[in-house]
């Protein structure tokens, strides 16, 4: 089974930047939407950004103008560039692929293991 492997989280000061990466451990037959979600302590998981196969993007209002999502279809990788970080961006960030492993298999959601992002004030 294909797994998603995230990297790039860490601790930075407010105003700083981080770049998250999420790569598939194997190959997919097709990947539709790639996205990033986050979950802060005591809160529900929320969509941060998503990108379609034709690179159309969608962002949460709270991150518009600060975060940029991009994808490398050849490498089955999605990125999240996070600038002007704020303490309220502190959360565990999860990548998500809506994908199909094989032509004959149903499309389903795949999740990364999560990476901690902590922003100090």
């Amino acid at each position: 089974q294909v797994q998603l492997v995230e990297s790039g989280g860490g601790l930075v000061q407010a105003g700083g930047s981080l770049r998250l990466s999420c790569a598939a451990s194997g190959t997919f037959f097709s990947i539709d939407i790639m996205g990033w979600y986050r979950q802060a302590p005591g809160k529900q998981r929320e969509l941060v950004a998503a990108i379609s196969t034709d690179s159309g993007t969608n962002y949460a209002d709270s991150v518009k103008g600060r975060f940029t999502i991009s994808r490398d279809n050849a490498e089955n990788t999605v990125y999240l560039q996070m600038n002007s970080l704020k303490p309220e961006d502190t959360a565990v960030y999860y990548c998500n692929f809506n994908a199909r492993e094989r032509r004959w298999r149903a499309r389903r959601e795949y999740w990364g293991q999560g990476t901690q992002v902590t922003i100090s004030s």
Side-chain angles (χ1 to χ4, degrees), residues 2-69:
V2 179
Q3 296 182 329
L4 304 185
V5 181
E6 302 167 2
S7 60
L11 170 65
V12 297
Q13 290 187 331
S17 298
L18 282 173
R19 189 187 193 217
L20 305 183
S21 300
C22 173
S25 62
T27 58
F28 287 102
F29 172 75
S30 65
I31 304 173
D32 294 330
I33 304 293
M34 293 179 171
W36 288 95
Y37 289 72
R38 68 186 181 187
Q39 187 167 18
K43 294 187 177 181
Q44 289 188 333
R45 190 174 297 188
E46 63 174 356
L47 176 67
V48 176
I51 185 167
S52 64
T53 51
D54 61 357
S55 296
T57 57
N58 181 39
Y59 294 94
D61 288 342
S62 60
V63 307
K64 283 181 181 177
R66 301 187 298 121
F67 290 11
T68 302
I69 189 170

Side-chain angles (χ1 to χ4, degrees), residues 47-97:
L47 176 67
V48 176
I51 185 167
S52 64
T53 51
D54 61 357
S55 296
T57 57
N58 181 39
Y59 294 94
D61 288 342
S62 60
V63 307
K64 283 181 181 177
R66 301 187 298 121
F67 290 11
T68 302
I69 189 170
S70 60
R71 64 190 284 169
D72 183 335
N73 292 324
E75 299 294 330
N76 287 346
T77 301
V78 64
Y79 304 96
L80 186 68
Q81 178 66 44
M82 305 186 293
N83 299 328
S84 303
L85 284 161
K86 305 175 181 180
E88 51 264 44
D89 294 319
T90 296
V92 178
Y93 284 69
Y94 299 89
C95 62
N96 171 274
F97 286 10

